[in-house]
Every structure is written in structure tokens, then in C-alpha cells.
Amino acid sequence: MIEGGFTGIDVERGHALRDGAWRAGAPAGVRRTRVVIAGGGVAGLAAARALRLAGIEDFVLLELEDMAGGNSRGGQVGGIACPLGAHYLPVPGDEAHEVQELLEELGMRRRVAGRWEYEERHLCHSPQERLFFQGTWQDGLLPVQGVGEATLTQYRRFSQRVEALRHTARFSIPVLRAQPAPLLLALDAVPFGVWLDREGFTDPHLRWYLDYSCRDDYGAGIAQVSAWAGIHYFASRHGFHAPGDDGAERDAVLTWPEGNGWLTRRLADPLGDRLKAGHAVVRIADTRSGVEVDAFDVATRSRVRWQAERCIVALPMFIAARVVENPPELLRHAAAHLGYAPWLVANVHLRAPLADRPGAAPSWDNVIYGTRGLGYVDARHQALDPTPGATVLSWYRPLGPSAYDGPDGRRRLLDRPWTAWRDDLLAELSLPHPDLAGLATRIEITRYGHAMAIPAPGLLGQLGQLGARERVAAGRLAFAHSDWSGYSIFEEAFTRGHLAAAGGAAA
Ligand SMILES: Cc1cc2nc3c(=O)[nH]c(=O)nc-3n(C[C@H](O)[C@H](O)[C@H](O)COP(=O)(O)OP(=O)(O)OC[C@H]3O[C@@H](n4cnc5c(N)ncnc54)[C@H](O)[C@@H]3O)c2cc1C
């Protein structure tokens, strides 16, 4: 018998927020602070850090859930730490210097003999990834074993195409540091699938891998995301490596048992009681004399009004558009163009190690070819004790539109009982692990209705975020959320949080 259920996010709070129930009546009290940060995901926590670095200690951070971190929170099942959402951070490039500085502060990187070195213990240990393809595990995620010469030729040609594109325009992380080059805007205008057709990339294995990559980073398939997004995935980091490529280097990735929850906990810890968890921001008004932010305290069931000099709105864009009174044109315009991919993360506790199929050894990231889910990461992969034992596998299931899913992902996320997702998970992971159901004791499922922005064709152009302006602000409000980048990763959220706070500090 496998126990389990939904956990992590309180879906009812999101609905109460939408229905306006928490806005009724007069506020129970008024309090003052210099800066209010609305939303305690990576962007809000980064804003708090930037304020502190600028010597501003008089602020509050209001967070809807009982714990800060947003999509980057960690949890545990059966006493074993595991991610509830985001689980890794690639070693950041120089354009993400705010993230580099954070990692330095946390002791993750240091200079040795003139070169930067990252903390070995938190760099993903080898073997990093494997693919269950044609009945065996193979090393790496690109289907290679047993594929024909025509497939390998397309791998090589795609690799060369990505290389050529990244030499023509800068694919930068964070995206706001890229120049608004015509090439990037042209790629932004077409669906990735159409661009692949046009370029003659027809091989089903290549297309499976590219579709997997888009669902992995953006929650939606190659027909839904722009060609900019499809190329950016590779061009902004180490490129695309065909088998046998010279210098093929795997992305160096930082990861922790509780995923990026390791980072958000360290960002939240110094805030003390300035972090108000369980506080839903229901109204933000930019008035002549300052900002008013109304927050509903879920524990006391009362509403408090905060008066401040300014507010950093680190909320998802669709919520910001709802709670900001008379939303500025830039927010209205951006929110009208943004669509979201829902996601589900299931953490499965296993009482003993799985027997393995032939091929590549158990890895951190384990993907099964041709399935709806994205496979699983093993929460004990980074453990210093190599003895196989009980562990937790985190199964990732994107629900944005793709070849596997229609546009009704959010509805299904809310309507289906946890046991239906359990059965999907068991069916998928039992392909390589027939003993999984017998070893699983508990499955905890976190649902994200609006998990991440889908970089649909035309979105970057609409958001005007390619190098257009470093700080998105209107009056006393500064906006900071990964949604403003048109896609969601740690570096985007963190940089935006920093800039939103730093801009105001200078003002
Ligand atoms: C399943 C999943 C896996 C991912 N994996 C990775 C990964 O491995 N690596 C990576 O870099 N990125 C990953 N991401 C992307 C991830 O979204 C970003 O890394 C980052 O966490 C986004 O931070 P944010 O602050 O922009 O947004 P959010 O995480 O959306 O933060 C917004 C915050 O605002 C709060 N909030 C909402 N409404 C209110 C309100 N009315 N009042 C107060 N607070 C409110 C929310 O509770 C939340 O805490 C993943 C995302 C998902 C969903």
C-alpha cells in the first residue's frame, strides 16, 4: 500500500485570492515600513538581499505560502530531503554576476590560482544523466545507441547550426543583458517546430530530444515555444553536442538534496521576522503620498495595511495584474501576452534501492524516452555515503501544451485525484524499474497551476525585454519576477529581484 497525497502548495489560498474574499471590509490595522516586497520566491528574496546590501534594513517581505522560496522550495519525505520544485542551478556565466556573487557569499565558489572553482560537494556528481532507450540505459540524454547514420548526421548539423547562431547574436542569461539583435527577434517570431521544419531537421530522435529539452525548461513542447527559446536553451550555455564532438563538455551543474530550496533557505534565514509567511497581498496602490499594500494574514484571518515609500512587486505577473490598483500600461500589456505552463512534481519515497536494468549506472537525472514525464532525479545522489539504501525520487511532469498534452493542463491538475497521478508515475517509472511499486512507501505531490511563463512566439518582442531596460518600474512600484523574462530560471528571477531593489536604493 502506497500512502500519499497533495502537499506543498495550498491551492485554496490561490482561489481565495482570485475570488476576492480576502479584500472585503476595512483593514484591522495600519503599519509602516520603508519598502514592501510582495512575493517571497527567488526574485523577492533576491530583492531583500539587495536591500540589505544597500544598507536598507527597514522592509517587510510578504509571502502567500507558509514558507518562502516559491517554485524553489525544498521539503522531505520519510525524513529524506528532496526538492518540491526547482532542483539545480547551472554554474552561472559572467552576465549573471549577481548570482555569481551570491554563490561566492555562500562559499560555493572561490578563486584558486587565478581561476574560479566551485565547491565539489555541490557540483553534480558523476554520473550526471542517463536515458532509458530501447530497453537499456545509455549514458547522456541524446538517443545514440542503435540510431542510424542519418540521425547522427542531423545531430551534427544541428550542433553546427547552434554554433553559427551563437556567433551571430548573443544568447545571454539573464536575457535582459542580450542586445535586441534582429536575429533574436526573427527567431522569437516563429514556433521552434516550424523553424526546425524549415531547416530540414526532421529526424524523430533529434526532435524528441529537442521537445524534451523545451518541456524541461519551459513546460511546453516545440510547437508552442519560439525558435528563440528552442535555440536559447543550448546557445546560452554550452551549445548542443553531437556524439563525438571535440571538446564536448557537459554543463557543470550545482545541486543539493533539497534542490534549490538549499539556496532559498539561505536567502530567507537572515530576514527574521521581516519575512511574513502566510500573508497574501490582496491590494497594492501607488498613491500620491506613498504605497499602500494590503495583506491578508491567513493565521489570524485579518487584513493589515502597510504604508511604505515603495513596493517591489515580486509576484507572478497574472497576480500582479490583479492586485495592483490601476495597473500601469507596461503591466497590463505584458500580462495580456503571457501564458503559463502548469507543472506537477511527485516525490516518491523508496524503502530500499531499485534493481537496475542493464546499461549506464544510476545517475542524478534519469529520463525515459518517449514518456509524458521528464523522468526522475535521485535526492540521495549527492550523499557522501555511497551505500545504496532508502531514497526519494522526484518525478517531474510538465503540463503545458505539447505533443503529449492539450491546453487543459490546469484543469486536469486540479480535477484529478492524487491516485491518478500516482498511477501515471508508476506506469512510467516501472518501464525501467518493474520493482518500483513494491518498494514505494509514500508519494507526495506538489501542483503548480501557473508554474512558469511559456516563451511563446512573439513574447520577447512583446515584453521588450531583450536588452531594453534593466529595471521594470512605474512610479513607486518596481516589478521583479521571472515572468518578466518570458521564461523561468533561477538566474532570471534572481537578477530581476536584485535590479528592482538596487534601482530604488539609488533613487
Ligand atoms: C517544477 C519546477 C521545476 C523547476 N526547476 C528549475 C530548476 O531546476 N532550475 C531553475 O533554475 N529553475 C527551475 N524552475 C524555475 C523556477 O520557477 C525559478 O527558478 C524561480 O524559482 C522563479 O522564482 P520567481 O521569484 O520568479 O517566481 P515564483 O517562484 O513564482 O515566486 C513568486 C512568489 O510569490 C508568492 N505569491 C503569489 N501570490 C502572492 C500574493 N498574493 N501575496 C504574497 N505572495 C504571493 C508565491 O507563493 C511565490 O513564493 C522550475 C520551476 C518549476 C515549477
Side-chain angles (χ1 to χ4, degrees):
M1 160 88 174
I2 304 174
E3 295 181 334
F6 294 121
T7 179
I9 287 227
D10 188 344
V11 177
E12 294 312 318
R13 288 188 196 177
H15 292 167
L17 197 62
R18 187 190 58 199
D19 301 342
W22 292 344
R23 296 183 65 149
V30 177
R31 295 168 76 175
R32 278 177 210 287
T33 187
R34 190 165 163 197
V35 187
V36 172
I37 303 169
V42 170
L45 291 168
R49 174 174 180 269
L51 288 179
R52 295 180 57 240
L53 289 178
I56 300 175
E57 298 286 348
D58 181 17
F59 64 86
V60 290
L61 188 159
L62 306 170
E63 163 56 39
L64 171 69
E65 302 291 339
D66 292 333
M67 189 184 165
N71 294 342
S72 297
R73 284 176 305 149
Q76 51 169 280
V77 184
I80 297 175
C82 55
L84 296 184
H87 57 287
Y88 71 97
L89 172 67
V91 165
D94 288 343
E95 280 152 336
H97 53 84
E98 292 87 351
V99 181
Q100 290 184 334
E101 282 153 22
L102 169 72
L103 294 176
E104 217 168 306
E105 178 187 306
L106 296 177
M108 283 290 106
R109 83 164 194 171
R110 59 201 168 104
R111 211 176 249 291
V112 178
R115 287 169 57 104
W116 287 112
E117 276 190 5
Y118 282 83
E119 175 59 56
E120 278 294 330
R121 198 150 59 85
H122 303 297
L123 278 171
C124 183
H125 300 167
S126 196
Q128 190 163 316
E129 49 197 19
R130 62 177 181 167
L131 176 69
F132 191 67
F133 179 57
Q134 297 182 349
T136 57
W137 286 109
Q138 59 143 71
D139 192 28
L141 298 186
L142 192 62
V144 171
Q145 274 172 23
V147 302
E149 189 48 39
T151 300
L152 296 174
T153 304
Q154 289 217 359
Y155 288 169
R156 285 191 286 270
R157 196 158 65 76
F158 186 75
S159 162
Q160 288 156 6
R161 197 72 185 90
V162 169
E163 238 6 69
L165 288 169
R166 71 199 288 221
H167 282 107
T168 316
R170 230 168 73 202
F171 289 82
S172 159
I173 295 177
V175 68
L176 53 77
R177 297 206 168 119
Q179 296 306 311
L183 170 73
L184 299 184
L185 292 169
L187 289 171
D188 175 52
V190 277
F192 190 31
V194 170
W195 184 87
L196 290 170
D197 291 343
R198 212 187 270 167
E199 298 268 330
F201 291 115
T202 51
D203 182 78
H205 295 113
L206 173 67
R207 288 178 81 109
W208 170 83
Y209 177 71
L210 299 177
D211 190 60
Y212 160 85
S213 304
C214 290
R215 293 196 305 131
D216 184 39
D217 244 25
Y218 311 127
I222 51 173
Q224 280 72 33
V225 307
S226 68
W228 170 82
I231 305 287
H232 180 79
Y233 183 91
F234 303 103
S236 60
R237 303 208 198 267
H238 283 296
F240 174 98
H241 297 295
D245 263 7
D246 277 352
E249 169 190 358
R250 217 163 257 174
D251 273 0
V253 160
L254 293 159
T255 188
W256 302 267
E258 68 274 50
N260 292 4
W262 190 92
L263 293 167
T264 52
R265 195 155 48 87
R266 277 157 183 79
L267 287 166
D269 277 350
L271 304 186
D273 67 0
R274 286 174 293 191
L275 168 58
K276 312 280 179 204
H279 280 61
V281 172
V282 293
R283 173 179 165 267
I284 300 174
D286 186 358
T287 73
R288 225 174 275 161
S289 54
V291 190
E292 283 179 8
V293 180
D294 289 2
F296 184 83
D297 180 341
V298 177
T300 62
R301 316 293 302 168
S302 63
R303 186 153 54 90
V304 170
R305 174 158 298 167
W306 291 89
Q307 291 181 333
E309 288 171 18
R310 59 193 177 102
C311 176
I312 295 163
V313 187
L315 300 169
M317 204 187 275
F318 78 103
I319 294 181
R322 246 181 237 159
V323 301
V324 173
E325 228 167 63
N326 304 318
E329 176 52 26
L330 67 91
L331 173 57
R332 250 183 299 152
H333 176 82
H337 286 91
L338 196 75
Y340 289 90
W343 275 76
L344 177 146
V345 180
N347 280 300
V348 192
H349 179 266
L350 302 178
R351 60 183 163 76
L354 294 161
D356 213 6
R357 295 270 183 137
S363 302
W364 170 64
D365 193 8
N366 306 266
V367 176
I368 301 145
Y369 185 83
T371 54
R372 287 168 190 265
L374 300 175
Y376 65 87
V377 293
D378 183 339
R380 283 201 69 243
H381 184 75
Q382 297 293 103
L384 295 176
D385 171 9
T387 323
T391 192
V392 171
L393 308 183
S394 307
W395 180 65
Y396 286 85
R397 174 75 168 90
L399 283 155
S402 71
Y404 302 91
D405 291 292
D408 61 340
R410 193 164 310 120
R411 194 64 277 142
R412 287 196 301 131
L413 194 69
L414 290 176
D415 288 351
R416 295 182 90 209
W418 81 272
T419 47
W421 297 111
R422 172 200 64 195
D423 293 346
D424 286 2
L425 176 155
L426 292 176
E428 276 194 30
L429 299 193
S430 293
L431 293 170
H433 301 299
D435 52 342
L436 182 96
L439 295 173
T441 62
R442 186 167 179 81
I443 299 182
E444 295 196 359
I445 297 175
T446 307
R447 293 174 292 176
Y448 298 92
H450 298 79
M452 50 173 75
I454 299 176
L459 183 67
L460 280 195
Q462 290 295 344
L463 294 181
Q465 287 306 316
L466 283 174
R469 48 176 175 240
E470 287 233 324
R471 186 163 173 267
V472 185
R476 297 170 191 276
L477 309 184
F479 295 93
H481 188 276
S482 49
D483 282 359
W484 290 93
S485 298
Y487 78 111
S488 187
I489 56 172
F490 185 94
E491 300 94 307
E492 297 288 350
F494 190 83
T495 308
R496 288 190 179 279
H498 244 263
L499 293 174

